[in-house]
Amino acid sequence: MKFKLAPIIVCLLLIVCSSMTVPPAKSNRLYVSDYENVLGTSLEIKIAAASNDNAKVTEDKAMNEIERLNKILSGYDAASEFSRWMRTDKQAVKVSPELFEVLNLFDKWRTQSGGALDASAEVVGKVWKDAAKRNAQPTSTELMAAVAKVKQTHWTLNATNQTATHLDDAPLMLNSFVKSYVMNKACEVAMASAGTTGIVLNIGGDIVVRGKHTEQIQVSDPKADAENDAPISTLSINNKTIATSGNYRRGELVNGQWHSHIVDPRTGLPADKIISATVVADNATDAGALATAFNVLTPEESKTLATTVPKAEYMIITSDGKRIESKGWKNMEMAVVKPVATKVNKVSADKTWDPNYELQINLELNQIMDGRAKRPYIAVWIAEKDRKPVRSITLWYNKNKYLDEMTSWYDAYYTKFADADKSVSSTTSATRPAGKYSLKWDGKNDKGELVKLGTYTIMIEAAREHGTHQLMTQELDFTKAPKPVTLPGNVEIASASLDYVKKADGK
């Protein structure tokens, strides 16, 4: 009996021992890249992958898909398939499956939104752009003519033959939700790549999250639109898309009055009752379409339209500051961490930074038009006269191992950075122009204390991995209100400006 059991015992021991020597499965880490001038705005891609090589392959596949679809759907590229089709007249043209699908989606959403979404909204937008050039309000005749043109049938589709027939001369732009459509396709390609378990794709503030990854999403406050402003809401998102549309970043100034770039194609008027709408949905195009439509519709109309999309949740901010949320919005929100109360240093009040004022820091990065342009590493911080760091404003980077390329920031802040909690998050906001960023300094140091009045140096550093290194510095004396300053540009930063201003709306 003992002899017969021995081989079994030996085998069991071998199995146990061998299992002890097998290393635990390596968990995927997150690889991050930032680009500028993709679909006319900024792009951030985060890939959960088994290795850096896996992440590079996945990133290339996603970026290739974005470029492929842009060559089909872009209204700004005269050589795109859409632009070529626009130059046809009443001819049934066989089009790509992607262009056919997008045109079909526009037909669907034009009906579903009651005309609030229309590819020919560009007709109305052009009227307001022309009005801005002559600095005079458009006439009622001009607006009526534009609305009449919008109401025309712009194309017909034949599903059997996969053809599209262009019918009129109304300018068309596939903007409302095509960015979300492109992002979703790119994520599908990425998730099919070996070694990839999750992806977060953020293009201009619209974000697709797919796979085994949950992302913390900060929703920008439309009334406090600096990159480092406190968010109006923070969500936890998995396998969904979040899209934000708003009128606070782009528009037209006509005779001293600011008008939203978002127009109501049904009336010809700018959509100015809603300043921001954020939508979370399973389907990317649903999120993009609803976010745009909600800027045009009344809150009650938006609530009704949202019921047509299962599991859609939203937050709408009206021009008078009212916050309107769907029933399930709170279920996605993360607990709010209350900010530390401002401490006043032990100096007399007249020698402390006035909490009603802030320093606005505006940056515009140089745009590399040929090929894919990754954003350089950027650090902005405030220092005392002896270059002792006072306040870290922002740090944009991809890989820790190249942070020493920013030599000035590294000397000032790396030790604190290495010890800090560097949580991963993304920000949803209205689409920004490529390369343009706004930051603020509220006069506090890294401990949350208001600094004493004095001379401080604004440090702006840009670097690339084993590449260019640029450092911009500017001293400002805050014992008296400093005048606006424009800093000369360099190979990475086209321009930077500093402006000491009173806080808006008491923020």
Side-chain angles (χ1 to χ4, degrees):
M1 177 66 70
K2 289 182 180 178
F3 178 77
K4 291 181 179 179
L5 286 175
I8 299 175
I9 293 171
V10 172
C11 288
L12 288 173
L13 285 171
L14 288 172
I15 291 171
V16 171
C17 291
S18 62
S19 65
M20 291 173 64
T21 61
V22 175
K26 185 179 179 181
S27 59
N28 284 8
R29 59 161 290 191
L30 212 57
Y31 297 86
V32 185
S33 290
D34 293 281
Y35 292 84
E36 292 293 348
N37 203 28
V38 177
L39 304 185
T41 185
S42 56
L43 178 150
E44 180 180 61
I45 184 168
K46 301 177 181 179
I47 298 169
S51 69
N52 185 50
D53 288 341
N54 287 136
K56 283 182 177 179
V57 170
T58 300
E59 182 178 317
D60 280 342
K61 288 181 177 179
M63 296 301 292
N64 287 341
E65 181 69 356
I66 292 168
E67 291 168 1
R68 183 184 76 85
L69 291 171
N70 191 48
K71 290 177 181 178
I72 294 173
L73 302 171
S74 174
Y76 301 100
D77 180 359
S80 73
E81 181 187 357
F82 170 69
S83 295
R84 298 196 308 272
W85 172 79
M86 278 281 291
R87 294 192 286 270
T88 65
D89 182 29
K90 299 180 179 60
Q91 301 173 22
V93 178
K94 189 172 180 61
V95 295
S96 65
E98 293 85 359
L99 180 54
F100 189 93
E101 184 179 12
V102 166
L103 292 175
N104 196 44
L105 282 169
F106 264 97
D107 281 342
K108 169 199 165 185
W109 278 106
R110 187 186 198 190
T111 301
Q112 198 163 317
S113 67
L117 286 183
D118 197 299
S120 66
E122 185 72 8
V123 175
V124 177
K126 187 175 184 302
V127 170
W128 285 95
K129 287 175 184 176
D130 291 342
K133 289 177 182 177
R134 65 174 189 264
N135 200 29
Q137 298 289 324
T139 66
S140 57
T141 301
E142 288 174 320
L143 292 176
M144 287 174 61
V147 170
K149 204 164 193 175
V150 167
K151 290 182 178 179
Q152 296 174 161
T153 301
H154 310 301
W155 63 71
T156 58
L157 302 176
N158 185 311
T160 303
N161 299 326
Q162 199 80 11
T163 59
T165 304
H166 183 213
L167 299 176
D168 62 13
D169 62 351
L172 306 175
M173 291 296 281
L174 305 178
N175 288 345
S176 301
F177 51 80
V178 165
K179 181 170 64 173
S180 298
Y181 173 88
V182 171
M183 292 168 64
N184 190 61
K185 293 287 188 182
C187 287
E188 287 177 356
V189 169
M191 287 303 298
S193 185
T196 297
T197 58
I199 186 169
V200 181
L201 182 58
N202 182 344
I203 303 185
D206 290 349
I207 304 167
V208 177
V209 183
R210 294 286 182 265
K212 296 177 182 179
H213 176 78
T214 299
E215 184 76 354
Q216 176 180 306
I217 308 286
Q218 297 180 338
V219 183
S220 287
D221 183 346
K223 291 192 173 182
D225 191 35
E227 300 296 321
N228 60 332
D229 266 315
I232 197 171
S233 181
T234 301
L235 310 178
S236 180
I237 300 295
N238 171 254
N239 277 316
K240 291 182 181 292
T241 296
I242 183 167
T244 295
S245 184
N247 67 9
Y248 55 94
R249 277 186 164 155
R250 292 181 291 164
E252 303 294 341
L253 187 64
V254 182
N255 197 22
Q257 186 175 357
W258 179 260
H259 294 291
S260 170
H261 73 288
I262 301 172
V263 296
D264 187 341
R266 304 167 302 177
T267 65
L269 300 176
D272 57 3
K273 301 299 182 186
I274 305 298
I275 59 173
S276 177
T278 299
V279 176
V280 178
D282 291 343
N283 182 280
T285 52
D286 287 345
L290 289 178
T292 304
F294 287 1
N295 276 263
V296 176
L297 301 171
T298 66
E300 282 303 313
E301 289 173 327
S302 295
K303 183 178 179 180
T304 300
L305 181 59
T307 62
T308 66
V309 178
K311 301 180 183 179
E313 304 292 349
Y314 59 85
M315 178 180 67
I316 297 170
I317 309 296
T318 64
S319 56
D320 58 3
K322 187 177 180 182
R323 178 168 167 166
I324 302 167
E325 300 172 354
S326 59
K327 288 183 179 179
W329 183 267
K330 292 293 184 188
N331 296 332
M332 301 182 297
E333 275 195 313
M334 301 178 69
V336 177
V337 178
K338 293 183 179 180
V340 178
T342 299
K343 298 177 183 179
V344 179
N345 293 328
K346 294 180 180 179
V347 293
S348 58
D350 61 344
K351 293 182 180 179
T352 306
W353 182 286
D354 185 341
N356 295 311
Y357 282 78
E358 62 193 7
L359 181 70
Q360 292 183 347
I361 306 168
N362 297 309
L363 303 176
E364 182 171 358
L365 306 185
N366 276 314
Q367 298 302 299
I368 301 173
M369 303 308 293
D370 297 329
R372 297 174 189 168
K374 281 193 175 183
R375 187 177 71 186
Y377 288 21
I378 299 285
V380 180
W381 72 102
I382 311 299
E384 292 179 332
K385 277 189 173 182
D386 59 0
R387 295 295 173 93
K388 180 182 177 181
V390 173
R391 175 70 180 275
S392 174
I393 303 299
T394 196
L395 171 67
W396 302 333
Y397 72 102
N398 296 333
K399 302 169 187 173
N400 284 9
K401 67 178 182 177
Y402 293 115
L403 281 171
D404 60 355
E405 303 280 352
M406 290 194 294
T407 53
S408 295
W409 174 89
Y410 193 88
D411 289 342
Y413 266 106
Y414 186 73
T415 301
K416 289 183 180 180
F417 167 83
D419 294 337
D421 174 22
K422 302 176 288 298
S423 59
V424 176
S425 66
S426 298
T427 300
T428 181
S429 64
T431 303
R432 75 163 63 81
K436 293 185 178 181
Y437 298 91
S438 178
L439 302 161
K440 292 178 182 177
W441 180 35
D442 57 5
K444 296 177 186 177
N445 61 23
D446 285 322
K447 295 179 180 178
E449 304 165 337
L450 287 171
V451 301
K452 63 182 180 180
L453 293 178
T455 299
Y456 294 92
T457 302
I458 290 77
M459 313 284 291
I460 304 171
E461 192 168 16
R464 293 187 180 273
E465 299 170 13
H466 306 311
T468 181
H469 173 265
Q470 307 293 326
L471 179 64
M472 307 168 78
T473 64
Q474 179 65 48
E475 279 193 356
L476 291 179
D477 182 1
F478 292 96
T479 59
K480 52 188 177 182
K483 294 181 179 180
V485 175
T486 299
L487 283 66
N490 54 51
V491 296
E492 295 292 358
I493 300 175
S495 64
S497 63
L498 310 173
D499 197 6
Y500 181 71
V501 297
K502 192 168 186 177
K503 290 181 180 179
D505 299 328
K507 289 185 179 294

